[in-house]
Amino acid sequence: MTLLEARRIEKTFGRTHALRGVSVAIESGEVVAITGPSGSGKSTLLHCLSGIMCPEAGEVHYDGRRIDTLDEAARTRLRRDAFGIVFQFGRLVPELTAVENVALPLLFNGDGREKSATVARDWLERMDALDVADARPGELSGGQLQRVAMARALVTGPKVVFADEPTGALDSLAGEKVLGLLLEAARVNGSTVVLVTHDNQVAAHADREIVVRDGAAAGVVA
Amino acid sequence: MSIGHVLLGLLTERPKHGYELKREHDDRFPGVKPIAYGQVYATLQRLERDGKVAVSGTAKEGGPERVVYEITSVGTDEVRRWLAEIEPPAPYVSSALSTRVVLALIVGGTADGYLLRQRAAHLERMRELTARKNTAGISAGELLATDYALHHLDADLRWLETARQRIGELTKEIRP
Ligand SMILES: Nc1ncnc2c1ncn2[C@@H]1O[C@H](COP(=O)(O)OP(=O)(O)OP(=O)(O)O)[C@@H](O)[C@H]1O
Ligand SMILES: [Mg+2]
């Protein structure tokens, strides 16, 4: 079953035509890698698929529902309910500790403080990052930041996990470790995973690759 | 690198017979083509002639009687000398992919289709190797050999992407 789909979407930033009619369809339970050269539109595509941005033309559908026409509040609710997002540069809240960052999505969803903190610690432990629970993002290494960002993306048990260059700052063994933790957690949760990466060894962990070039899908290769 | 050096290296642990050397070679270098028993036998004879190994006895474990070889001090010196060297960085890297790109342009005027198909094939192989790395009970030796294959396929893929970005220049050169 197709869970998430973009149909001929277009997105411009000023004079930059970031997406030029990309279509992709992602099945429930799949792990998909979106690859392509720097600046080809991978992050923009991920932002459109996850309802962070809306394309100017084309359509985005999730679970049988069109989402690009929903208002900001409805898209925010959808993201909190169904999506977990690991951003390209982490985007943790610098004033909060790691465990507070991970607990944030649960607090937004109305869970109590104590319960949220307990669940957050549990996810940090699964991501092998419990030792940095009380540190702030500024005090963490690249790999530790990625682990905390992943724990935050997974803490609500999302239907879809989006991860933008989740191993970007790491060497190949450290990257493999972190990616393994993410994919294992997603498998246990039954989540669909959309991985944006320019690293072929990361892409090789996915079931399928979608190559983006100059804002268009260059060939969807099974 | 030669089979002789590999066998000498394995013999530094203790005396071994030919069949044992073949089995250990295939187990410990899983990324390498299995060695034929005839080649082990011929190599041991040559090493014995050169004084690098010597017959130390025979062994009989259920099967036929087998000749056991031990490494000599000449052999030990040889393997240590060899280990102190490096492999020469290859001057002519295998260029089958590069040849195909040039020929695709000459024959058909475009290499786009080829580049995409080659990428898909390489990535598929990388997926298989990645899955193998995740199988339970895989040995550290096999992991290392699989990593080697993955890094090399990855290098090919990065070259394919660079080739795609240079295809314009190359086309002008080939079909002015
Ligand atoms: N918020 C923005 N404002 C202006 N231009 C943008 C913005 N976001 C993206 N762009 C432009 O859109 C194009 C695609 O950017 P995008 O971030 O999607 O690429 P990418 O494939 O993720 O690249 P990278 O691999 O470097 O992360 C680029 O030319 C970029 O400069
Ligand atoms: Mg990006």
Side-chain angles (χ1 to χ4, degrees):
Chain A
M1 188 199 75
T2 300
L3 184 65
L4 186 62
E5 189 178 6
R7 297 184 189 158
R8 294 183 302 281
I9 59 172
E10 307 208 8
K11 180 79 190 170
T12 54
F13 300 103
R15 272 171 305 154
T16 306
H17 211 153
L19 297 179
R20 306 165 184 259
V22 195
S23 298
V24 301
I26 294 163
E27 302 288 305
S28 182
E30 253 190 323
V31 178
V32 173
I34 297 177
T35 64
S38 193
S40 58
K42 303 183 296 295
S43 293
T44 307
L45 175 58
L46 182 131
H47 292 154
C48 288
L49 286 170
S50 57
I52 293 170
M53 276 177 193
C54 292
E56 287 117 24
E59 299 177 5
V60 182
H61 293 253
Y62 168 71
D63 202 13
R65 185 155 70 120
R66 186 162 176 189
I67 62 167
D68 59 292
T69 44
L70 298 176
D71 64 21
E72 180 75 47
R75 280 185 287 116
T76 302
R77 228 175 302 125
L78 171 68
R79 284 202 305 277
R80 284 180 186 162
D81 285 349
F83 297 163
I85 305 173
V86 183
F87 290 98
Q88 184 162 10
F89 303 108
R91 293 210 206 162
L92 297 173
V93 181
E95 293 81 10
L96 300 181
T97 63
V99 68
E100 288 166 345
N101 264 285
V102 176
L104 215 49
L106 298 172
L107 294 172
F108 281 138
N109 285 352
D111 289 353
R113 275 196 174 276
E114 212 144 298
K115 184 185 166 219
S116 301
T118 307
V119 176
R121 274 184 192 277
D122 189 40
W123 274 98
L124 282 173
E125 184 167 16
R126 283 198 231 182
M127 291 291 117
D128 246 349
L130 194 56
D131 52 330
V132 299
D134 300 310
R136 285 177 220 285
E139 304 162 339
L140 302 181
S141 76
Q144 290 164 339
L145 281 173
Q146 306 269 33
R147 285 161 197 254
V148 175
M150 283 183 189
R152 186 179 61 175
L154 292 162
V155 73
T156 55
K159 286 275 188 305
V160 185
V161 178
F162 296 91
D164 197 346
E165 302 285 5
T167 62
L170 307 179
D171 64 46
S172 106
L173 263 190
E176 187 171 282
K177 184 92 201 293
V178 165
L179 185 64
L181 292 171
L182 174 78
L183 292 179
E184 176 57 19
R187 200 183 56 75
V188 170
N189 275 355
S191 307
T192 301
V193 180
V194 182
L195 280 175
V196 163
T197 184
H198 65 258
D199 182 334
N200 302 309
Q201 302 205 43
V202 171
H205 282 82
D207 304 320
R208 187 160 70 92
E209 176 187 43
I210 296 171
V211 182
V212 178
R213 278 179 194 154
D214 302 324
V220 181
V221 186
Chain B
M1 198 194 61
S2 73
I3 293 296
H5 289 124
V6 175
L7 298 189
L8 284 176
L10 292 174
L11 283 171
T12 59
E13 292 179 322
R14 60 189 152 75
K16 293 169 187 176
H17 56 71
Y19 183 69
E20 206 176 355
L21 284 167
K22 178 205 159 28
R23 215 179 43 218
E24 287 194 0
H25 171 276
D26 295 354
D27 281 357
R28 289 188 170 177
F29 308 108
V32 177
K33 209 170 101 194
I35 189 173
Y37 181 67
Q39 202 184 353
V40 175
Y41 183 72
T43 307
L44 284 169
Q45 300 242 298
R46 183 174 53 71
L47 292 171
E48 187 186 7
R49 184 200 66 204
D50 296 344
K52 292 171 186 164
V53 303
V55 173
S56 72
T58 55
K60 191 161 164 45
E61 316 146 354
E65 198 164 67
R66 300 181 193 276
V67 180
V68 176
Y69 292 85
E70 66 182 359
I71 193 165
T72 63
S73 60
V74 176
T76 306
D77 287 350
E78 170 61 19
V79 75
R80 289 194 192 284
R81 186 197 58 71
W82 175 75
L83 277 174
E85 295 173 353
I86 52 147
E87 285 295 314
Y92 303 108
V93 176
S94 160
S95 61
L97 306 187
S98 157
T99 306
R100 273 187 188 269
V101 169
V102 172
L103 284 176
L105 286 179
I106 290 175
V107 177
T110 171
D112 290 356
Y114 165 67
L115 289 171
L116 266 177
R117 285 196 310 281
Q118 190 68 61
R119 177 174 174 87
H122 264 59
L123 200 61
E124 178 54 29
R125 181 80 189 111
M126 287 178 74
R127 262 186 223 114
E128 290 167 15
L129 293 170
T130 303
R132 183 186 302 171
K133 276 173 64 172
N134 290 331
T135 53
I138 185 170
S139 70
E142 195 171 344
L143 267 179
L144 206 61
T146 308
D147 278 332
Y148 187 83
L150 276 168
H151 282 285
H152 279 253
L153 290 165
D154 184 17
D156 277 353
L157 278 182
R158 278 180 280 144
W159 177 83
L160 285 167
E161 178 55 28
T162 309
R164 192 188 63 81
Q165 292 175 14
R166 283 203 202 284
I167 222 81
E169 299 162 50
L170 189 61
T171 308
K172 277 190 216 131
E173 219 168 85
I174 290 176
R175 301 190 145 204

